[in-house]
Amino acid sequence: MKPIRVALLGCGTVGREVVRLLREQADELAARAGAPLEVAGVAVRRPHKHADLGDLLTSDATGLVTRDDVDVVVEVIGGIEPARALLLEALKAGKSVVTANKALLAEDGPALAEAADASGVDLYYEAAVAGAIPLLRPLRESLAGDRIMRVAGIVNGTTNFILSSMSASGASYADALEEATRLGYAEADPSADVDGYDAASKAAILASLAFHTRVTAADVHCEGIRAVTAGDIAAASAMGCVIKLLAICERTPADESMPESVSARVYPAMIPATHPLAAVDGAFNAVFVEAEAAGQLMFYGQGAGGAPTASAVLGDLVAVARNRVLGGRGPRESAYASLPVRPMGTLRTRYHVSLEVVDRAGVLSTITGEFARHGVSIAAARQTGEGDGNNGSARIVVVTHRAAEAALAATVDVLAGLDVVHGVHSVLRVEDLGRKGVAG
Amino acid sequence: MKPIRVALLGCGTVGREVVRLLREQADELAARAGAPLEVAGVAVRRPHKHADLGDLLTSDATGLVTRDDVDVVVEVIGGIEPARALLLEALKAGKSVVTANKALLAEDGPALAEAADASGVDLYYEAAVAGAIPLLRPLRESLAGDRIMRVAGIVNGTTNFILSSMSASGASYADALEEATRLGYAEADPSADVDGYDAASKAAILASLAFHTRVTAADVHCEGIRAVTAGDIAAASAMGCVIKLLAICERTPADESMPESVSARVYPAMIPATHPLAAVDGAFNAVFVEAEAAGQLMFYGQGAGGAPTASAVLGDLVAVARNRVLGGRGPRESAYASLPVRPMGTLRTRYHVSLEVVDRAGVLSTITGEFARHGVSIAAARQTGEGDGNNGSARIVVVTHRAAEAALAATVDVLAGLDVVHGVHSVLRVEDLGRKGVAG
């Protein structure tokens, strides 16, 4: 049987695992793919660091991806360039592509999909979202007969590790980040993770698949976790909630202001401690899916790491190889629905607002009056610290019913300017994620 | 675009949902499949009960599945015959098949797979295991590049409902079954569920896919939940465990007695209350998968019901239709590994054994001595009731380390015959399912 020849771009943690598994499980992979999978070459920037790969090594990535004896290109370099140019080149040359590159897919996925279509080859990227967790294939294929209403998940292990450890120990954000860095869960420059960009890329990919609509990273509202304090975690706990950085993709039915639309957003939110996502701790990932007929589903597992990511890459590689052997192609992207992306201001969620105010009679009434004036309905308001001698300051916590983002923002703007308000501690969204028993 | 014509066999809860969704989501399904999906006919035993389907109805199922204008046959009748004969007929006639029939697949899956291969058509059955949860496609495709070591799941909603309610309320098995029947979670004749046969069918299907080996229902060791008592639930709770009816499929490495082998079994077992499966309550299903590179994964959702099962059927139907439109086929079954099935006697797990004994000095030593004589190592032994005047009886609970099933069974046989033993209350397996911190 003619082998399927694989070019590997990049040979870091994931790439080395891919090479190892291709070698160690060669017989099993060949049986499943219908042909042996052979490494044709490995393109790296510094070949001397990978001397054990011998003749397979090259620093000429462009040459490798267009070589006649290459059938499939596996890209695990990451980042936009040179990955984009190399993959477009590979697709143009009729090579199928397997990639784990969420940033590239979220920025320019449609261009890659079009190039794959033009050449009639496969473009697979299960490893780009939630590592080893089979998620994209279930969304695209298993749920193809259903209507997905919401995808909400913990898709970034670094931030989940930080928030879990703040929650477990009461640590500050800075201390928890330091611990994560020391243990290797956070990179030296953690911004892609803690500012939410990594999760936002994944949200764009998930929303595109779930709603058959092109959603790019630029369409995703993104807030990170730098501003989350130990006080926020404690406030969540007092409400029977935990704080998780969520990637939320939702379909919203048509209403008077908009046709049916989709929303994709990333922010830290309070969720009920009884929700299955609340129990997902440490560096694990989990994604909660709601579909009209299937109901609620959850997928859980390791979202990062060399071996888990390599498992997802190899699953795709076997699929691509099998398609090659049979002379076919896997299911394509589709963006037939082309739903508009809902502006963030029109989004309706619940909020937890915490304020430091002057400790005197009538302040609570002034504050709640401002919410009412902006049409934001209050579910609960609580004042603490009254008369306890802490320099005339009291803390007011307001939890709203579902309200429009724009109305809430306007309310908070006004509150911040009031004489009786010393400061706005935090504004956190509360997401009930479709659980019953949580008032809307 | 030429439509894909669908013949539906059976029109019960699932069938009606399939028809409803095919009609209500016709445009979306057509966009995803690449062609409209049309119902060509519906075969039912009593056509007068479904008058709203009009001309589509027929009682001639054999005629329907071989009709020239039918491309795909969807079977939701259940049971072995006439489903088997009809599906073999359909496959022979070149129709692709989508079925939710776990009993048939577990008994005669290979015959169906061969018939599909002979005609070059698709055989899909995501709905047969764990209803709406995308599970078979992830096992077969997403993890195709990995080595699955274990699949362990709660795959029967009826028994999970019963065990959950026994656990929550302290109810007896009989009372919990009565409640489940009243609420519609258990059928009038509950044996297929409570005796474990339904779960055993699913275990056979899961083991076949996970290990690329033909495993049929006859290969699955099967025990149900009728013997589980409120006392067992309380004993589990005292150990920090809960009792779940598990379908467990495991790959065991070669050892001195056997080559690499697989095991598939269904029984109620104690699992740590901290394990993700322990929190799966009510009629929900969840399946825990461990793979060499991917690590631990979990899939959670609704395992039964009209709409969830229809979601899985339609996902398959869209895939089959897309394959037809593109002129290809989906990934096939493979049984290349052909691993032997491990005899139950050689299985090694931990056990929780509860005995009623004569309350006098030296009995605990006699009992533990019997375990030792059979080579069964004890992790903990506890005697209660001593000297409390309850007619000279005491309760001894022994928890073993991992021991061979045959050695444990021989031990229990001997214990049951001892003069000092009034009776063996229960023998329950303890499964740690790969969680760290549980002694082996």
Side-chain angles (χ1 to χ4, degrees):
Chain A
M1 183 63 90
K2 192 168 160 288
I4 299 292
R5 306 263 297 163
V6 181
L8 182 64
L9 304 182
C11 200
T13 323
V14 177
R16 294 208 71 87
E17 275 299 310
V18 169
V19 171
R20 183 181 72 80
L21 291 167
L22 278 173
R23 286 174 173 175
E24 286 181 13
Q25 307 199 358
D27 292 349
E28 295 206 44
L29 295 173
R32 295 176 202 164
L37 298 173
E38 279 181 14
V39 180
V42 181
V44 292
R45 236 180 303 178
R46 284 177 291 272
H48 64 273
K49 286 181 66 184
H50 306 271
D52 58 312
L53 292 172
D55 287 352
L56 291 174
L57 286 175
T58 172
S59 55
D60 176 15
T62 312
L64 178 62
V65 302
T66 51
R67 248 167 59 184
D68 283 347
D69 69 332
V70 165
D71 301 298
V72 187
V73 173
V74 172
E75 183 261 315
V76 288
I77 314 173
I80 306 298
E81 292 294 355
R84 170 164 48 196
L86 290 170
L87 294 189
L88 288 172
E89 198 68 42
L91 292 165
K92 218 175 96 186
K95 320 299 184 191
S96 289
V97 163
V98 175
T99 171
N101 193 330
K102 58 219 153 207
L104 175 56
L105 287 160
E107 173 155 319
D108 219 3
L112 295 176
E114 278 159 27
D117 277 345
S119 295
V121 296
D122 282 326
L123 170 66
Y124 278 61
Y125 47 87
E126 182 69 65
V129 182
I133 308 174
L135 181 62
L136 305 190
R137 188 174 275 106
L139 285 181
R140 181 165 41 194
E141 301 180 42
S142 307
L143 291 168
D146 208 331
R147 173 188 282 251
I148 298 171
M149 303 307 292
R150 183 194 281 139
V151 179
I154 296 166
V155 294
N156 180 273
T158 305
T159 49
N160 201 51
F161 181 89
I162 293 172
L163 292 172
S164 298
S165 85
M166 287 175 74
S167 188
S169 69
S172 70
Y173 166 75
D175 288 347
L177 171 60
E178 194 184 299
E179 188 198 5
T181 310
R182 191 166 42 79
L183 296 174
Y185 289 113
E187 293 180 45
D189 174 1
S191 20
D193 294 316
V194 301
D195 291 329
Y197 303 130
D198 173 80
S201 293
K202 293 164 179 171
I205 296 171
L206 290 172
S208 300
L209 280 178
F211 307 130
H212 302 273
T213 287
R214 283 182 181 166
V215 178
T216 68
D219 298 317
V220 182
H221 173 88
C222 175
E223 298 171 31
I225 64 162
R226 284 187 205 261
V228 177
T229 64
D232 293 334
I233 306 266
S237 173
M239 275 185 67
C241 288
V242 299
I243 297 181
K244 294 290 184 189
L245 182 71
L246 297 180
I248 302 178
C249 311
E250 257 171 356
R251 180 198 293 272
T252 317
D255 60 22
E256 60 280 3
S257 68
M258 268 198 91
E260 183 178 28
S261 60
V262 300
S263 138
R265 50 198 204 262
V266 168
Y267 45 66
M270 294 187 180
I271 61 173
T274 53
H275 193 280
L277 285 177
V280 177
D281 279 333
F284 273 85
N285 280 196
V287 177
F288 195 74
V289 177
E290 287 180 77
E292 215 165 67
Q296 301 183 332
L297 303 168
M298 193 171 84
F299 304 80
Y300 168 92
Q302 293 188 65
T309 309
S311 169
V313 166
L314 281 176
D316 281 354
L317 192 50
V318 167
V320 166
R322 197 158 41 193
N323 292 341
R324 289 249 153 186
V325 170
L326 300 174
R329 273 184 81 189
R332 262 153 251 204
E333 300 308 309
S334 85
Y336 68 85
S338 294
L339 299 174
V341 174
R342 202 169 178 90
M344 192 64 184
T346 68
L347 185 78
R348 293 175 66 82
T349 61
R350 297 164 67 214
Y351 296 86
H352 178 282
V353 180
S354 168
L355 307 161
E356 198 76 21
V357 299
V358 175
D359 185 6
R360 72 162 176 256
V363 173
L364 182 61
S365 157
T366 307
I367 301 294
T368 54
E370 281 304 328
F371 281 90
R373 209 166 60 78
H374 288 87
V376 177
S377 167
I378 291 179
R382 200 172 71 239
Q383 180 161 2
T384 51
E386 197 179 4
D388 67 354
N390 56 353
N391 304 320
S393 258
R395 170 75 61 102
I396 288 180
V397 170
V398 172
V399 179
T400 73
H401 287 298
R402 211 171 282 284
E405 179 93 8
L408 193 282
T411 311
V412 170
D413 267 1
V414 170
L415 291 175
L418 292 181
D419 282 348
V420 295
V421 173
H422 291 320
V424 178
H425 273 290
S426 72
V427 178
L428 277 166
R429 294 177 190 85
V430 182
E431 292 279 354
D432 56 31
L433 298 175
R435 296 292 277 191
K436 303 192 173 63
V438 178
Chain B
M1 183 63 89
K2 192 169 160 286
I4 299 292
R5 305 263 297 165
V6 180
L8 182 64
L9 305 181
C11 200
T13 322
V14 177
R16 294 207 72 87
E17 275 298 310
V18 169
V19 171
R20 183 181 71 81
L21 292 167
L22 278 173
R23 285 174 173 174
E24 286 181 11
Q25 307 199 359
D27 292 348
E28 295 207 46
L29 295 172
R32 294 175 201 165
L37 299 173
E38 277 182 14
V39 180
V42 180
V44 292
R45 237 179 304 177
R46 284 178 290 274
H48 63 274
K49 286 180 67 184
H50 305 272
D52 56 313
L53 292 172
D55 288 351
L56 291 174
L57 286 176
T58 172
S59 55
D60 176 16
T62 313
L64 178 62
V65 301
T66 51
R67 246 167 61 184
D68 283 347
D69 68 332
V70 165
D71 300 299
V72 187
V73 173
V74 172
E75 184 261 314
V76 288
I77 313 175
I80 306 298
E81 293 294 354
R84 171 164 48 196
L86 289 170
L87 293 190
L88 287 172
E89 197 69 41
L91 291 165
K92 218 175 95 187
K95 320 300 185 191
S96 289
V97 163
V98 175
T99 171
N101 193 328
K102 57 218 154 210
L104 175 57
L105 288 160
E107 173 155 319
D108 218 3
L112 295 176
E114 278 159 27
D117 276 346
S119 296
V121 295
D122 283 325
L123 169 66
Y124 278 60
Y125 48 87
E126 182 69 65
V129 182
I133 309 174
L135 181 61
L136 306 190
R137 188 174 275 106
L139 285 181
R140 181 163 42 194
E141 301 180 43
S142 306
L143 291 167
D146 207 331
R147 173 188 281 251
I148 297 172
M149 304 307 292
R150 184 194 280 140
V151 179
I154 295 166
V155 294
N156 180 271
T158 305
T159 48
N160 201 51
F161 181 88
I162 293 172
L163 292 172
S164 298
S165 84
M166 288 175 74
S167 189
S169 69
S172 69
Y173 167 74
D175 288 348
L177 171 60
E178 193 185 299
E179 188 198 5
T181 311
R182 190 165 43 79
L183 297 175
Y185 288 114
E187 293 180 46
D189 174 1
S191 21
D193 294 315
V194 301
D195 291 329
Y197 303 129
D198 173 81
S201 293
K202 293 164 179 171
I205 296 170
L206 290 172
S208 300
L209 280 178
F211 306 130
H212 302 273
T213 287
R214 284 182 181 165
V215 178
T216 68
D219 298 318
V220 182
H221 172 87
C222 175
E223 298 172 30
I225 64 161
R226 284 188 204 261
V228 177
T229 64
D232 292 335
I233 305 267
S237 172
M239 277 185 64
C241 288
V242 299
I243 297 182
K244 294 290 185 189
L245 181 72
L246 296 181
I248 303 179
C249 311
E250 256 172 356
R251 181 197 292 271
T252 317
D255 59 23
E256 59 281 4
S257 68
M258 270 198 89
E260 182 178 28
S261 59
V262 301
S263 139
R265 51 198 204 264
V266 168
Y267 46 66
M270 294 187 180
I271 60 173
T274 52
H275 193 281
L277 284 179
V280 177
D281 279 332
F284 273 85
N285 281 196
V287 177
F288 196 74
V289 177
E290 287 181 77
E292 215 165 67
Q296 303 183 331
L297 304 167
M298 194 171 86
F299 303 80
Y300 168 93
Q302 293 187 64
T309 308
S311 169
V313 166
L314 281 177
D316 281 353
L317 191 50
V318 167
V320 167
R322 195 158 43 192
N323 292 341
R324 289 249 154 186
V325 170
L326 300 174
R329 273 184 80 191
R332 262 152 251 205
E333 300 308 308
S334 85
Y336 69 85
S338 293
L339 298 175
V341 175
R342 201 170 179 89
M344 193 62 184
T346 68
L347 185 79
R348 294 174 66 82
T349 60
R350 297 165 68 214
Y351 296 86
H352 178 282
V353 179
S354 168
L355 306 162
E356 198 76 20
V357 298
V358 175
D359 185 5
R360 73 164 175 254
V363 173
L364 182 60
S365 159
T366 307
I367 301 294
T368 54
E370 281 303 330
F371 280 91
R373 209 165 60 78
H374 287 88
V376 178
S377 167
I378 291 178
R382 199 174 70 238
Q383 180 164 1
T384 51
E386 197 180 4
D388 66 356
N390 55 353
N391 304 321
S393 256
R395 170 75 60 103
I396 288 181
V397 170
V398 172
V399 180
T400 75
H401 286 300
R402 210 171 284 284
E405 179 94 8
L408 193 283
T411 312
V412 170
D413 266 1
V414 170
L415 291 176
L418 292 182
D419 282 348
V420 296
V421 173
H422 291 319
V424 178
H425 273 291
S426 71
V427 178
L428 277 166
R429 295 177 189 83
V430 182
E431 294 279 352
D432 56 30
L433 299 176
R435 295 293 276 191
K436 301 191 174 64
V438 179

